[in-house]
Amino acid sequence: MTMTLVRRPGLAKVRTKRAPLYVASLVFAGVVVLLALLAPWIQPYDPNIADLGNALAPPSGDHLFGVDAAGRDTFSRLVAGARTSLLGPLGVVVFSTVLGAAVGVAAGWRGGWLDSVLSRGSELTLAFPGLLLAILIVSVYGEGLLAPVVALSVAYFPYVSRLTRSLVLAERARPYVAAYQVQGHSGLQICVRHVVPNIAPVVLAQSTVNFGYALIDLAGLSFLGLGVPALTPDWGRMVFDGKSAIQSGYPLSAIIPCLAIVLTVVAFNVVGERWADKVAGRTR
Amino acid sequence: MPTQNSARTFRRAAAPATAALAAFALLAACSGPAKHGADSPAANYQLSEGTPPAKGTIDKFSWALYAEPLTLDWIQAFDYPQNTVLSNVCESLMRWTPQLTLAPGLAEKAANPDPNTWVYDLRPGVKFHNGEPLTADDVVFSFGRQTNPELAAAWADSFENVAAVTATGPLQVTVKLKQPDALFPQLMATAAGVVASRKGVEAAGKDYGVDGSLDCTGPYKLTHWAKGQSLELDRFDDYWGTKAKAKTVEFKFLTDPAARTNAMLSGEVDGSFLVPTDSYERLRTSGVGSLYFGEGLSTVNVNVTSIKGALGDVRVRRALSMALDRGGFVKAALGGNGTVTNSITPKAAWAAAGPETRAAAFDALPPAAQDIEQAKKLIEEAGAKGKTVTVATSPIGQDVTLLATALQTAGSKIGLKVELKTIAPDAFSALFTDPAAREGIDAFPETFYLSVTDPVDLLRNFKTGAYQNHASYSNPEYDALVEQITSTYDPAQRLALEAKLQQKAAEEVVWMPVAEWPSTVFLNKKITGAPTTIAYMYYPWAADVGAAG
């Protein structure tokens, strides 16, 4: 997971003046979000209805992406799965951003012992691998989306809090803060009305990048059978379910959700990095 | 060394080639399997009587298990993983042969002087793994553990008609029955009839079966159990019978079906029973070894574990059974290597029955074909529309996961809400032995193998208070018929009564029959000799496995 907002030389090579990769990624991410929102109207079949007699059928007019090993329409599951697959990372990003920003702002603005306590606390959480933490929490609370989302939010918040703290520290040293203080504004007022809005774009840009990572972590958990319950259409779960199709020698129902995960993660990362570059004033 | 220009040219040429390759790979991935009728699976497999006999000894072979045994205490051996191991370590008074017939085991002679008495004469010179000799006292002690209510033995049912077990000689045991019991002598070939060393079991105390030696008499002894990974059996050199051909057998716990298949393909394990159904084709065509099918005496069923909820109404059970796509299940879950059935007992178990008895047992059973409209009507009649049924599933194999999926689909087609609850592979065995594990579960997919070649072995499970009567059915008529069957020693008469019992079980939809499934075994080119039939659950099969060449 990214620690700071940096440009990656590998992706810079494919950037051009008009940034087609950014545009393509933005469009792709938009399409995925739309699919998730309109899933019930778009999916041609009930994603959970199994026609076992038609298991592993190849793509056809009836089944655009074929049928999985349980006889379920892969396209319908992909569309329905977009909901769970995006909702989970969204939860992680919202929780971790709110928590991380609150901790980061408090630590950076207040400084002193509070900074030490909060920063060391965050670092302690960082020492524990996020995925392991999620596996532990899911093992205790059972399957479902909430437990892994909470676990990953806890694992992700230190990254946001460290970024926020460093931004707040930089902002605090700026002359306008001293000017407000001289005018008699309270610390809370300056922080909430001026500092937070100033750092928000950078934090949000980072959150967009985090979205991609959360998506891949949650898909990984689903693949391990630790995420959403069986039958729930979810991209990670689809890859898990696709294992038997791979064993049978017809891996399409596993390849398609894999592609969806990879492309969506790349799309969110490219968009997030671009926004981060923009707010940081970096030129390309 | 290529110039920059030539490298660019290469990249330009490589791009379409890569794209073409990717498209080809995708096309290959797209093409589904060849279509074949689910009801014509005979084309896919052929039952073998056995595998070629071993040609020599071997130092070691390794075997895959789909789950780690919860315990190796024989009184709790009630599932595939435990019995696959235990059959080589602990022996019973009688033996189930690979041909699924009864033969002498630790008892060289079984006599039935009157209908209520069985006298077993033990083999002389048999030693336990701890060096102690086998005596009648060990038999009395071992059977006493099965009937001790504090130990809650899984095989306690087998002793329900036993009045007393006494040592009538140093090597003679007399079993007095409360009433004639035709099943008892047959069950003496299963884990119910296992004899272990009294000294060994008492010394191990609560650790027996979980840690340390099992102190039985089998051709192998348990020497090492790395919890969570594997266990090892070593040849018992003082074995009374033919010595095992392999010095060591290692059982590896591979819960993931794909990992199990890959282990077989890569040689990490040399073989396995219960081969994952989605791997049949890969293993058949791999050239690494041979896949054999044998008589499994097994049926895949929906085990109704609770009749407190929606499944309490027989019409709901009938409707759900009616809505099941059995043909699709056989095709998708068993890869066509099975047959659709409307009977919870396997047809092979009725081999000794005459045509009239077979007709009585099968002809009037509800059809296996799917009938959604009729099922919907039944749900309406029962007022069960929208009710929830919770089904347990586990990623141990396609037979379990796809049957759960098929139930969910059947439910949604007829107006029932079927929720799936996923259980870890190692915990799935607990569904059979622990009522707490079945809390909140209405049904789960169960492949039931007969432990004796007699249909009543399954049908008696629905008698009031029976160990596997998870749903607590109670029907005095059914109970009376089971009693009558149990006390009938004549096989023809018994089977005729069992046909009636089968009808009653079908009327009540105590379980939902789905398919008959053959036993499978994969052996790589290194080894041979394992049986193909379900006998491996109680027969010391590993002792026959040796070098293939």
PDB file of all heavy atoms in Angstrom, chain B residues 79-80 274 296-303 329 334 399-400 403 428 432 444-450 468 511 515 517-518 534:
ATOM      1  N   ASP B  79     -16.864 -40.845  10.044  1.00  0.00           N
ATOM      2  CA  ASP B  79     -16.787 -40.093   8.796  1.00  0.00           C
ATOM      3  C   ASP B  79     -15.598 -40.635   7.980  1.00  0.00           C
ATOM      4  O   ASP B  79     -14.781 -41.397   8.481  1.00  0.00           O
ATOM      5  CB  ASP B  79     -16.618 -38.597   9.104  1.00  0.00           C
ATOM      6  CG  ASP B  79     -17.054 -37.719   7.942  1.00  0.00           C
ATOM      7  OD1 ASP B  79     -17.458 -38.263   6.894  1.00  0.00           O
ATOM      8  OD2 ASP B  79     -16.977 -36.484   8.075  1.00  0.00           O
ATOM      9  N   TYR B  80     -15.542 -40.197   6.742  1.00  0.00           N
ATOM     10  CA  TYR B  80     -14.505 -40.701   5.837  1.00  0.00           C
ATOM     11  C   TYR B  80     -13.081 -40.554   6.390  1.00  0.00           C
ATOM     12  O   TYR B  80     -12.334 -41.535   6.408  1.00  0.00           O
ATOM     13  CB  TYR B  80     -14.580 -39.983   4.490  1.00  0.00           C
ATOM     14  CG  TYR B  80     -15.768 -40.356   3.633  1.00  0.00           C
ATOM     15  CD1 TYR B  80     -16.908 -39.576   3.642  1.00  0.00           C
ATOM     16  CD2 TYR B  80     -15.727 -41.462   2.795  1.00  0.00           C
ATOM     17  CE1 TYR B  80     -17.996 -39.905   2.845  1.00  0.00           C
ATOM     18  CE2 TYR B  80     -16.804 -41.789   1.989  1.00  0.00           C
ATOM     19  CZ  TYR B  80     -17.945 -41.004   2.011  1.00  0.00           C
ATOM     20  OH  TYR B  80     -19.008 -41.325   1.213  1.00  0.00           O
ATOM     21  N   LEU B 274     -11.988 -40.775  -2.592  1.00  0.00           N
ATOM     22  CA  LEU B 274     -12.861 -39.600  -2.674  1.00  0.00           C
ATOM     23  C   LEU B 274     -12.228 -38.487  -3.507  1.00  0.00           C
ATOM     24  O   LEU B 274     -12.054 -37.371  -3.037  1.00  0.00           O
ATOM     25  CB  LEU B 274     -13.148 -39.066  -1.278  1.00  0.00           C
ATOM     26  CG  LEU B 274     -14.380 -39.595  -0.565  1.00  0.00           C
ATOM     27  CD1 LEU B 274     -14.524 -38.919   0.778  1.00  0.00           C
ATOM     28  CD2 LEU B 274     -15.651 -39.353  -1.371  1.00  0.00           C
ATOM     29  N   GLY B 296     -19.697 -48.051  -4.422  1.00  0.00           N
ATOM     30  CA  GLY B 296     -19.582 -47.158  -3.273  1.00  0.00           C
ATOM     31  C   GLY B 296     -20.631 -47.411  -2.207  1.00  0.00           C
ATOM     32  O   GLY B 296     -20.500 -46.904  -1.092  1.00  0.00           O
ATOM     33  N   LEU B 297     -21.682 -48.172  -2.557  1.00  0.00           N
ATOM     34  CA  LEU B 297     -22.834 -48.344  -1.658  1.00  0.00           C
ATOM     35  C   LEU B 297     -23.206 -46.983  -1.071  1.00  0.00           C
ATOM     36  O   LEU B 297     -23.540 -46.867   0.106  1.00  0.00           O
ATOM     37  CB  LEU B 297     -22.518 -49.328  -0.537  1.00  0.00           C
ATOM     38  CG  LEU B 297     -22.420 -50.813  -0.889  1.00  0.00           C
ATOM     39  CD1 LEU B 297     -22.146 -51.643   0.352  1.00  0.00           C
ATOM     40  CD2 LEU B 297     -23.691 -51.323  -1.572  1.00  0.00           C
ATOM     41  N   SER B 298     -23.074 -45.948  -1.897  1.00  0.00           N
ATOM     42  CA  SER B 298     -23.242 -44.580  -1.395  1.00  0.00           C
ATOM     43  C   SER B 298     -24.318 -43.829  -2.167  1.00  0.00           C
ATOM     44  O   SER B 298     -24.415 -43.956  -3.393  1.00  0.00           O
ATOM     45  CB  SER B 298     -21.942 -43.795  -1.547  1.00  0.00           C
ATOM     46  OG  SER B 298     -20.890 -44.476  -0.930  1.00  0.00           O
ATOM     47  N   THR B 299     -25.076 -43.066  -1.419  1.00  0.00           N
ATOM     48  CA  THR B 299     -26.028 -42.174  -2.060  1.00  0.00           C
ATOM     49  C   THR B 299     -25.793 -40.762  -1.536  1.00  0.00           C
ATOM     50  O   THR B 299     -25.466 -40.573  -0.375  1.00  0.00           O
ATOM     51  CB  THR B 299     -27.488 -42.569  -1.755  1.00  0.00           C
ATOM     52  OG1 THR B 299     -27.631 -42.783  -0.359  1.00  0.00           O
ATOM     53  CG2 THR B 299     -27.910 -43.803  -2.523  1.00  0.00           C
ATOM     54  N   VAL B 300     -25.948 -39.811  -2.452  1.00  0.00           N
ATOM     55  CA  VAL B 300     -25.880 -38.404  -2.054  1.00  0.00           C
ATOM     56  C   VAL B 300     -27.307 -38.003  -1.681  1.00  0.00           C
ATOM     57  O   VAL B 300     -28.239 -38.246  -2.452  1.00  0.00           O
ATOM     58  CB  VAL B 300     -25.357 -37.524  -3.211  1.00  0.00           C
ATOM     59  CG1 VAL B 300     -25.261 -36.072  -2.778  1.00  0.00           C
ATOM     60  CG2 VAL B 300     -24.013 -38.026  -3.702  1.00  0.00           C
ATOM     61  N   ASN B 301     -27.449 -37.429  -0.508  1.00  0.00           N
ATOM     62  CA  ASN B 301     -28.790 -37.077  -0.015  1.00  0.00           C
ATOM     63  C   ASN B 301     -28.789 -35.676   0.576  1.00  0.00           C
ATOM     64  O   ASN B 301     -27.739 -35.132   0.888  1.00  0.00           O
ATOM     65  CB  ASN B 301     -29.198 -38.024   1.115  1.00  0.00           C
ATOM     66  CG  ASN B 301     -29.205 -39.475   0.683  1.00  0.00           C
ATOM     67  OD1 ASN B 301     -30.148 -39.918   0.063  1.00  0.00           O
ATOM     68  ND2 ASN B 301     -28.139 -40.202   0.982  1.00  0.00           N
ATOM     69  N   VAL B 302     -29.986 -35.178   0.768  1.00  0.00           N
ATOM     70  CA  VAL B 302     -30.136 -33.995   1.611  1.00  0.00           C
ATOM     71  C   VAL B 302     -30.572 -34.530   2.970  1.00  0.00           C
ATOM     72  O   VAL B 302     -31.655 -35.104   3.098  1.00  0.00           O
ATOM     73  CB  VAL B 302     -31.190 -33.028   1.047  1.00  0.00           C
ATOM     74  CG1 VAL B 302     -31.352 -31.837   1.988  1.00  0.00           C
ATOM     75  CG2 VAL B 302     -30.810 -32.581  -0.353  1.00  0.00           C
ATOM     76  N   ASN B 303     -29.706 -34.371   3.943  1.00  0.00           N
ATOM     77  CA  ASN B 303     -30.008 -34.833   5.293  1.00  0.00           C
ATOM     78  C   ASN B 303     -30.861 -33.771   5.971  1.00  0.00           C
ATOM     79  O   ASN B 303     -30.423 -32.637   6.165  1.00  0.00           O
ATOM     80  CB  ASN B 303     -28.684 -35.047   6.053  1.00  0.00           C
ATOM     81  CG  ASN B 303     -28.889 -35.507   7.480  1.00  0.00           C
ATOM     82  OD1 ASN B 303     -29.888 -35.181   8.127  1.00  0.00           O
ATOM     83  ND2 ASN B 303     -27.935 -36.250   8.002  1.00  0.00           N
ATOM     84  N   PHE B 329     -27.393 -32.013 -11.148  1.00  0.00           N
ATOM     85  CA  PHE B 329     -26.419 -32.257 -10.083  1.00  0.00           C
ATOM     86  C   PHE B 329     -25.421 -33.332 -10.504  1.00  0.00           C
ATOM     87  O   PHE B 329     -24.213 -33.172 -10.336  1.00  0.00           O
ATOM     88  CB  PHE B 329     -27.148 -32.667  -8.793  1.00  0.00           C
ATOM     89  CG  PHE B 329     -26.209 -33.111  -7.709  1.00  0.00           C
ATOM     90  CD1 PHE B 329     -25.556 -32.181  -6.910  1.00  0.00           C
ATOM     91  CD2 PHE B 329     -25.943 -34.461  -7.510  1.00  0.00           C
ATOM     92  CE1 PHE B 329     -24.655 -32.592  -5.928  1.00  0.00           C
ATOM     93  CE2 PHE B 329     -25.051 -34.873  -6.529  1.00  0.00           C
ATOM     94  CZ  PHE B 329     -24.412 -33.943  -5.739  1.00  0.00           C
ATOM     95  N   LEU B 334     -20.984 -34.312 -10.134  1.00  0.00           N
ATOM     96  CA  LEU B 334     -20.290 -35.599 -10.209  1.00  0.00           C
ATOM     97  C   LEU B 334     -19.635 -35.800 -11.575  1.00  0.00           C
ATOM     98  O   LEU B 334     -19.119 -36.882 -11.861  1.00  0.00           O
ATOM     99  CB  LEU B 334     -21.262 -36.761  -9.916  1.00  0.00           C
ATOM    100  CG  LEU B 334     -22.077 -36.673  -8.618  1.00  0.00           C
ATOM    101  CD1 LEU B 334     -22.897 -37.951  -8.414  1.00  0.00           C
ATOM    102  CD2 LEU B 334     -21.190 -36.442  -7.407  1.00  0.00           C
ATOM    103  N   ASP B 399     -19.677 -32.091  -4.566  1.00  0.00           N
ATOM    104  CA  ASP B 399     -20.901 -32.795  -4.191  1.00  0.00           C
ATOM    105  C   ASP B 399     -21.641 -32.026  -3.100  1.00  0.00           C
ATOM    106  O   ASP B 399     -22.871 -31.972  -3.095  1.00  0.00           O
ATOM    107  CB  ASP B 399     -20.589 -34.215  -3.721  1.00  0.00           C
ATOM    108  CG  ASP B 399     -19.555 -34.247  -2.613  1.00  0.00           C
ATOM    109  OD1 ASP B 399     -18.546 -33.538  -2.741  1.00  0.00           O
ATOM    110  OD2 ASP B 399     -19.755 -34.966  -1.616  1.00  0.00           O
ATOM    111  N   VAL B 400     -20.881 -31.413  -2.198  1.00  0.00           N
ATOM    112  CA  VAL B 400     -21.500 -30.660  -1.100  1.00  0.00           C
ATOM    113  C   VAL B 400     -21.901 -29.260  -1.568  1.00  0.00           C
ATOM    114  O   VAL B 400     -23.056 -28.848  -1.406  1.00  0.00           O
ATOM    115  CB  VAL B 400     -20.533 -30.586   0.108  1.00  0.00           C
ATOM    116  CG1 VAL B 400     -21.076 -29.657   1.180  1.00  0.00           C
ATOM    117  CG2 VAL B 400     -20.313 -31.973   0.685  1.00  0.00           C
ATOM    118  N   LEU B 403     -24.710 -29.254  -4.293  1.00  0.00           N
ATOM    119  CA  LEU B 403     -26.029 -29.690  -3.817  1.00  0.00           C
ATOM    120  C   LEU B 403     -26.667 -28.567  -2.994  1.00  0.00           C
ATOM    121  O   LEU B 403     -27.875 -28.325  -3.087  1.00  0.00           O
ATOM    122  CB  LEU B 403     -25.917 -30.984  -3.002  1.00  0.00           C
ATOM    123  CG  LEU B 403     -27.241 -31.578  -2.520  1.00  0.00           C
ATOM    124  CD1 LEU B 403     -28.258 -31.683  -3.651  1.00  0.00           C
ATOM    125  CD2 LEU B 403     -27.041 -32.938  -1.898  1.00  0.00           C
ATOM    126  N   PHE B 428     -16.863 -29.969   9.426  1.00  0.00           N
ATOM    127  CA  PHE B 428     -18.040 -30.562   8.785  1.00  0.00           C
ATOM    128  C   PHE B 428     -18.389 -31.914   9.421  1.00  0.00           C
ATOM    129  O   PHE B 428     -19.567 -32.254   9.568  1.00  0.00           O
ATOM    130  CB  PHE B 428     -17.803 -30.713   7.280  1.00  0.00           C
ATOM    131  CG  PHE B 428     -19.066 -30.864   6.478  1.00  0.00           C
ATOM    132  CD1 PHE B 428     -19.955 -29.818   6.351  1.00  0.00           C
ATOM    133  CD2 PHE B 428     -19.380 -32.063   5.865  1.00  0.00           C
ATOM    134  CE1 PHE B 428     -21.130 -29.944   5.620  1.00  0.00           C
ATOM    135  CE2 PHE B 428     -20.545 -32.206   5.119  1.00  0.00           C
ATOM    136  CZ  PHE B 428     -21.418 -31.154   5.007  1.00  0.00           C
ATOM    137  N   PHE B 432     -22.165 -34.644  12.112  1.00  0.00           N
ATOM    138  CA  PHE B 432     -22.668 -36.003  12.296  1.00  0.00           C
ATOM    139  C   PHE B 432     -22.671 -36.423  13.761  1.00  0.00           C
ATOM    140  O   PHE B 432     -23.410 -37.309  14.153  1.00  0.00           O
ATOM    141  CB  PHE B 432     -21.812 -37.008  11.503  1.00  0.00           C
ATOM    142  CG  PHE B 432     -21.744 -36.694  10.044  1.00  0.00           C
ATOM    143  CD1 PHE B 432     -20.614 -36.121   9.488  1.00  0.00           C
ATOM    144  CD2 PHE B 432     -22.827 -36.954   9.220  1.00  0.00           C
ATOM    145  CE1 PHE B 432     -20.558 -35.815   8.140  1.00  0.00           C
ATOM    146  CE2 PHE B 432     -22.774 -36.655   7.874  1.00  0.00           C
ATOM    147  CZ  PHE B 432     -21.643 -36.078   7.336  1.00  0.00           C
ATOM    148  N   PHE B 444     -28.396 -30.528   5.470  1.00  0.00           N
ATOM    149  CA  PHE B 444     -27.065 -30.414   4.869  1.00  0.00           C
ATOM    150  C   PHE B 444     -26.842 -31.564   3.897  1.00  0.00           C
ATOM    151  O   PHE B 444     -27.443 -32.631   4.062  1.00  0.00           O
ATOM    152  CB  PHE B 444     -25.957 -30.331   5.934  1.00  0.00           C
ATOM    153  CG  PHE B 444     -25.740 -31.572   6.759  1.00  0.00           C
ATOM    154  CD1 PHE B 444     -24.897 -32.591   6.330  1.00  0.00           C
ATOM    155  CD2 PHE B 444     -26.358 -31.713   7.993  1.00  0.00           C
ATOM    156  CE1 PHE B 444     -24.684 -33.718   7.105  1.00  0.00           C
ATOM    157  CE2 PHE B 444     -26.142 -32.845   8.779  1.00  0.00           C
ATOM    158  CZ  PHE B 444     -25.303 -33.850   8.332  1.00  0.00           C
ATOM    159  N   PRO B 445     -26.003 -31.355   2.887  1.00  0.00           N
ATOM    160  CA  PRO B 445     -25.754 -32.425   1.929  1.00  0.00           C
ATOM    161  C   PRO B 445     -24.958 -33.537   2.610  1.00  0.00           C
ATOM    162  O   PRO B 445     -23.987 -33.257   3.292  1.00  0.00           O
ATOM    163  CB  PRO B 445     -24.901 -31.750   0.846  1.00  0.00           C
ATOM    164  CG  PRO B 445     -25.092 -30.279   1.059  1.00  0.00           C
ATOM    165  CD  PRO B 445     -25.309 -30.107   2.524  1.00  0.00           C
ATOM    166  N   GLU B 446     -25.400 -34.748   2.434  1.00  0.00           N
ATOM    167  CA  GLU B 446     -24.677 -35.861   3.048  1.00  0.00           C
ATOM    168  C   GLU B 446     -24.558 -37.025   2.081  1.00  0.00           C
ATOM    169  O   GLU B 446     -25.548 -37.503   1.541  1.00  0.00           O
ATOM    170  CB  GLU B 446     -25.381 -36.343   4.320  1.00  0.00           C
ATOM    171  CG  GLU B 446     -24.694 -37.587   4.888  1.00  0.00           C
ATOM    172  CD  GLU B 446     -25.248 -38.083   6.221  1.00  0.00           C
ATOM    173  OE1 GLU B 446     -26.107 -37.395   6.801  1.00  0.00           O
ATOM    174  OE2 GLU B 446     -24.819 -39.160   6.657  1.00  0.00           O
ATOM    175  N   THR B 447     -23.319 -37.444   1.879  1.00  0.00           N
ATOM    176  CA  THR B 447     -23.112 -38.678   1.123  1.00  0.00           C
ATOM    177  C   THR B 447     -23.041 -39.788   2.153  1.00  0.00           C
ATOM    178  O   THR B 447     -22.142 -39.802   2.991  1.00  0.00           O
ATOM    179  CB  THR B 447     -21.813 -38.593   0.301  1.00  0.00           C
ATOM    180  OG1 THR B 447     -21.969 -37.529  -0.642  1.00  0.00           O
ATOM    181  CG2 THR B 447     -21.558 -39.885  -0.454  1.00  0.00           C
ATOM    182  N   PHE B 448     -24.010 -40.662   2.103  1.00  0.00           N
ATOM    183  CA  PHE B 448     -24.076 -41.746   3.096  1.00  0.00           C
ATOM    184  C   PHE B 448     -23.584 -43.028   2.460  1.00  0.00           C
ATOM    185  O   PHE B 448     -24.062 -43.449   1.424  1.00  0.00           O
ATOM    186  CB  PHE B 448     -25.518 -41.917   3.587  1.00  0.00           C
ATOM    187  CG  PHE B 448     -25.642 -42.844   4.773  1.00  0.00           C
ATOM    188  CD1 PHE B 448     -25.704 -42.341   6.055  1.00  0.00           C
ATOM    189  CD2 PHE B 448     -25.680 -44.227   4.600  1.00  0.00           C
ATOM    190  CE1 PHE B 448     -25.801 -43.195   7.158  1.00  0.00           C
ATOM    191  CE2 PHE B 448     -25.774 -45.086   5.696  1.00  0.00           C
ATOM    192  CZ  PHE B 448     -25.839 -44.566   6.981  1.00  0.00           C
ATOM    193  N   TYR B 449     -22.590 -43.643   3.107  1.00  0.00           N
ATOM    194  CA  TYR B 449     -22.131 -44.944   2.637  1.00  0.00           C
ATOM    195  C   TYR B 449     -22.628 -45.999   3.625  1.00  0.00           C
ATOM    196  O   TYR B 449     -22.624 -45.780   4.831  1.00  0.00           O
ATOM    197  CB  TYR B 449     -20.601 -44.989   2.531  1.00  0.00           C
ATOM    198  CG  TYR B 449     -19.887 -44.598   3.796  1.00  0.00           C
ATOM    199  CD1 TYR B 449     -19.606 -45.524   4.781  1.00  0.00           C
ATOM    200  CD2 TYR B 449     -19.492 -43.276   4.004  1.00  0.00           C
ATOM    201  CE1 TYR B 449     -18.960 -45.173   5.945  1.00  0.00           C
ATOM    202  CE2 TYR B 449     -18.854 -42.900   5.175  1.00  0.00           C
ATOM    203  CZ  TYR B 449     -18.582 -43.850   6.140  1.00  0.00           C
ATOM    204  OH  TYR B 449     -17.957 -43.495   7.304  1.00  0.00           O
ATOM    205  N   LEU B 450     -23.109 -47.094   3.103  1.00  0.00           N
ATOM    206  CA  LEU B 450     -23.528 -48.173   3.992  1.00  0.00           C
ATOM    207  C   LEU B 450     -22.278 -48.791   4.609  1.00  0.00           C
ATOM    208  O   LEU B 450     -21.275 -48.964   3.926  1.00  0.00           O
ATOM    209  CB  LEU B 450     -24.297 -49.243   3.215  1.00  0.00           C
ATOM    210  CG  LEU B 450     -25.643 -48.849   2.602  1.00  0.00           C
ATOM    211  CD1 LEU B 450     -26.299 -50.066   1.971  1.00  0.00           C
ATOM    212  CD2 LEU B 450     -26.568 -48.234   3.626  1.00  0.00           C
ATOM    213  N   GLN B 468     -28.273 -41.267  14.267  1.00  0.00           N
ATOM    214  CA  GLN B 468     -28.274 -40.376  13.097  1.00  0.00           C
ATOM    215  C   GLN B 468     -29.661 -39.804  12.826  1.00  0.00           C
ATOM    216  O   GLN B 468     -29.880 -39.207  11.770  1.00  0.00           O
ATOM    217  CB  GLN B 468     -27.778 -41.125  11.857  1.00  0.00           C
ATOM    218  CG  GLN B 468     -26.274 -40.997  11.656  1.00  0.00           C
ATOM    219  CD  GLN B 468     -25.927 -40.287  10.351  1.00  0.00           C
ATOM    220  OE1 GLN B 468     -26.110 -39.078  10.219  1.00  0.00           O
ATOM    221  NE2 GLN B 468     -25.416 -41.021   9.389  1.00  0.00           N
ATOM    222  N   TRP B 511     -35.156 -38.099   4.304  1.00  0.00           N
ATOM    223  CA  TRP B 511     -34.041 -37.480   3.600  1.00  0.00           C
ATOM    224  C   TRP B 511     -34.502 -37.299   2.161  1.00  0.00           C
ATOM    225  O   TRP B 511     -35.479 -37.919   1.736  1.00  0.00           O
ATOM    226  CB  TRP B 511     -32.804 -38.388   3.582  1.00  0.00           C
ATOM    227  CG  TRP B 511     -31.982 -38.379   4.835  1.00  0.00           C
ATOM    228  CD1 TRP B 511     -32.249 -37.723   6.006  1.00  0.00           C
ATOM    229  CD2 TRP B 511     -30.763 -39.091   5.044  1.00  0.00           C
ATOM    230  NE1 TRP B 511     -31.265 -37.989   6.923  1.00  0.00           N
ATOM    231  CE2 TRP B 511     -30.336 -38.825   6.361  1.00  0.00           C
ATOM    232  CE3 TRP B 511     -29.975 -39.933   4.247  1.00  0.00           C
ATOM    233  CZ2 TRP B 511     -29.167 -39.361   6.903  1.00  0.00           C
ATOM    234  CZ3 TRP B 511     -28.822 -40.470   4.786  1.00  0.00           C
ATOM    235  CH2 TRP B 511     -28.420 -40.187   6.102  1.00  0.00           C
ATOM    236  N   ALA B 515     -28.549 -38.770  -5.688  1.00  0.00           N
ATOM    237  CA  ALA B 515     -27.775 -39.519  -6.687  1.00  0.00           C
ATOM    238  C   ALA B 515     -27.039 -40.688  -6.048  1.00  0.00           C
ATOM    239  O   ALA B 515     -26.778 -40.679  -4.842  1.00  0.00           O
ATOM    240  CB  ALA B 515     -26.761 -38.590  -7.349  1.00  0.00           C
ATOM    241  N   TRP B 517     -23.465 -42.574  -6.111  1.00  0.00           N
ATOM    242  CA  TRP B 517     -22.124 -42.093  -6.435  1.00  0.00           C
ATOM    243  C   TRP B 517     -21.126 -43.221  -6.208  1.00  0.00           C
ATOM    244  O   TRP B 517     -21.037 -43.750  -5.093  1.00  0.00           O
ATOM    245  CB  TRP B 517     -21.813 -40.911  -5.511  1.00  0.00           C
ATOM    246  CG  TRP B 517     -20.571 -40.156  -5.820  1.00  0.00           C
ATOM    247  CD1 TRP B 517     -19.827 -40.208  -6.947  1.00  0.00           C
ATOM    248  CD2 TRP B 517     -19.920 -39.218  -4.950  1.00  0.00           C
ATOM    249  NE1 TRP B 517     -18.769 -39.352  -6.859  1.00  0.00           N
ATOM    250  CE2 TRP B 517     -18.794 -38.737  -5.647  1.00  0.00           C
ATOM    251  CE3 TRP B 517     -20.166 -38.733  -3.670  1.00  0.00           C
ATOM    252  CZ2 TRP B 517     -17.920 -37.801  -5.101  1.00  0.00           C
ATOM    253  CZ3 TRP B 517     -19.305 -37.808  -3.130  1.00  0.00           C
ATOM    254  CH2 TRP B 517     -18.201 -37.329  -3.837  1.00  0.00           C
ATOM    255  N   PRO B 518     -20.361 -43.601  -7.224  1.00  0.00           N
ATOM    256  CA  PRO B 518     -19.398 -44.681  -7.017  1.00  0.00           C
ATOM    257  C   PRO B 518     -18.223 -44.221  -6.152  1.00  0.00           C
ATOM    258  O   PRO B 518     -17.935 -43.039  -6.065  1.00  0.00           O
ATOM    259  CB  PRO B 518     -18.934 -45.022  -8.432  1.00  0.00           C
ATOM    260  CG  PRO B 518     -19.142 -43.774  -9.211  1.00  0.00           C
ATOM    261  CD  PRO B 518     -20.324 -43.080  -8.598  1.00  0.00           C
ATOM    262  N   ILE B 534     -16.055 -49.274  -1.346  1.00  0.00           N
ATOM    263  CA  ILE B 534     -16.153 -48.521  -0.099  1.00  0.00           C
ATOM    264  C   ILE B 534     -15.609 -49.320   1.094  1.00  0.00           C
ATOM    265  O   ILE B 534     -15.478 -48.788   2.208  1.00  0.00           O
ATOM    266  CB  ILE B 534     -17.626 -48.096   0.136  1.00  0.00           C
ATOM    267  CG1 ILE B 534     -17.776 -47.078   1.267  1.00  0.00           C
ATOM    268  CG2 ILE B 534     -18.524 -49.297   0.377  1.00  0.00           C
ATOM    269  CD1 ILE B 534     -17.206 -45.738   0.973  1.00  0.00           C
TER     270      ILE B 534
END
